[in-house]
């Protein structure tokens, strides 16, 4: 007999939280039905009821990741968000970085998801689209900064936005591997140095 | 009876090549004893003789990755390498990027290795050390470029080197997910734009 709907939703939430904890500790490489079941104190059989395969579990993990990201307060949605193009570019770049422990966990899971996503064309396309959207958001504010004279207008705004996005993504990876060399204050200083370079160029 | 030494080496090479092909197609998420055995047309039992666990297989995969990287011609080792600090910085940055199909495969596997590496402190430390070495190499040439007046001396060379490394690592990731938006010529143009920004800053 299938569980009642309310039970099903609650159980799914439990599963999502267990998936999250397994990913944070062991990455996608360690994400197995058995590990999630153990994390929940449940049987593998129960897990199989929700996720018939490892692939279904990975797809769910990426949904959970999306929900976590959507649930975060974003600079653009914040009423105290900085006005102006360049300040907004800065806020968007800082928003990506692992400046808090929670952001470090989210980022660790995002970076970990790249392996599985690159192996599955559908997941790769979704990741590409996410990064395209975030590039577009940066582009809007780079363009605004150029129009306001905060950034020189000489360079294509698309290239500036892509370069800025690449820079912070790489910084995420380095900060995860060498947190002692890239503590939050150095990450912020590197972003500010990068932006100063854009202004002066 | 264990195999003769020559056999053992040859078989190990076969295994390494099979590991490489599995990683290129399916990533670390798809790296299983069964998949490698199937790729070799061998039994899982034979594989277990070389790698008693998935973790041993992952560790070997990272060694193979290192060997592949070491076997590549490097700008610094090339007698036709560009002289001068800034030209060398440019060569080192371009060397990281997936500008050829082979480099795209290597990079896909490197990026894929981050998930497993972040889950294992020993592997994470090795990765961190690799990136530290490559930052140091960049730093030497950034410093030379500053001394030669090719780059302004105002900004700490460590920060310039770290920023440049982060930028190309992020570009690798974007080029893997969206190769049509980041074809080789755009990757090179973005590097040149980035360097022009450093020069002008």
């Amino acid at each position: 007999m299938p569980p009642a709907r309310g039970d099903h939703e609650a159980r799914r939430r439990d599963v999502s939280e267990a998936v999250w904890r397994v990913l944070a500790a062991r990455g996608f490489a360690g994400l197995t039905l058995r590990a999630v079941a153990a994390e929940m104190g449940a049987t593998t059989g129960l897990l199989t009821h929700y996720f018939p395969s490892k692939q279904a579990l990975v797809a769910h993990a990426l949904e959970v990741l999306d929900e976590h990201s959507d649930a975060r307060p974003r600079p653009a949605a914040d009423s105290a968000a900085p006005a102006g193009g360049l300040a907004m570019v800065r806020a968007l770049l800082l928003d990506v970085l692992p400046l808090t422990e929670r952001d470090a966990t989210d980022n660790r899971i995002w970076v970990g998801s790249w392996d599985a996503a690159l192996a599955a064309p559908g997941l790769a396309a979704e990741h590409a689209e996410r990064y395209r959207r975030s590039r577009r958001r940066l582009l809007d504010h780079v363009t605004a900064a150029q129009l306001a004279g905060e950034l020189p207008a000489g360079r294509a705004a698309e290239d500036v936005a892509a370069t800025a996005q690449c820079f912070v993504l790489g910084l995420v990876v380095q900060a995860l591997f060498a947190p002692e060399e890239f503590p939050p204050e150095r990450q912020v200083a590197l972003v500010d140095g990068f932006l100063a370079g854009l202004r002066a160029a």
Side-chain angles (χ1 to χ4, degrees), chain A:
Chain A
M1 200 179 79
R5 187 165 176 80
D7 285 1
H8 189 90
E9 299 284 317
R11 185 49 64 95
R12 218 181 143 80
R13 210 161 41 238
D14 290 349
V15 173
S16 297
E17 283 164 15
V19 164
W20 194 254
R21 289 194 300 273
V22 169
L23 285 177
R26 304 191 225 171
F28 284 76
L31 182 70
T32 59
L33 290 169
R34 191 186 296 185
V36 176
E39 184 71 37
M40 294 177 69
T43 62
T44 309
L46 180 121
L47 255 287
T48 318
H49 176 76
Y50 293 84
F51 306 105
S53 67
K54 161 106 192 213
Q55 203 154 9
L57 192 59
V58 168
H60 178 68
L62 293 177
E63 278 168 31
V64 174
L65 198 49
D66 253 351
E67 282 164 22
H68 258 249
S69 299
D70 289 347
R72 293 180 58 207
R74 301 216 84 88
D78 186 348
S79 61
L86 194 61
M88 197 60 205
V89 171
R90 181 176 188 271
L92 288 172
L93 297 181
L94 293 180
D95 186 52
V96 172
L97 298 175
L99 299 177
T100 67
E101 206 163 319
R102 183 189 158 149
D103 292 339
T105 303
D106 284 23
N107 267 307
R108 184 265 172 271
I109 298 176
W110 268 114
V111 168
S113 77
W114 293 341
D115 177 58
L118 284 169
L123 297 180
E126 281 174 31
H127 265 35
E129 182 52 32
R130 282 188 191 98
Y131 290 117
R132 202 171 291 125
R133 272 202 303 272
S134 104
R135 255 193 319 276
R136 231 176 275 137
R137 214 174 309 133
L138 273 169
L139 172 62
D140 288 345
H141 298 289
V142 167
T143 305
Q146 288 183 334
L147 288 173
E150 294 177 310
L151 285 179
R155 202 168 160 213
E158 282 83 3
D159 289 354
V160 174
T163 300
Q165 183 186 44
C166 291
F167 159 62
V168 288
L169 281 183
L171 183 50
V172 165
V173 174
Q174 291 310 308
L176 290 177
F177 278 112
E180 68 295 342
E181 280 170 76
F182 296 95
E185 56 276 17
R186 178 146 197 240
Q187 295 179 47
V188 174
L190 285 171
V191 166
D192 284 329
F194 176 82
L195 292 174
L198 289 185
R199 271 201 310 275

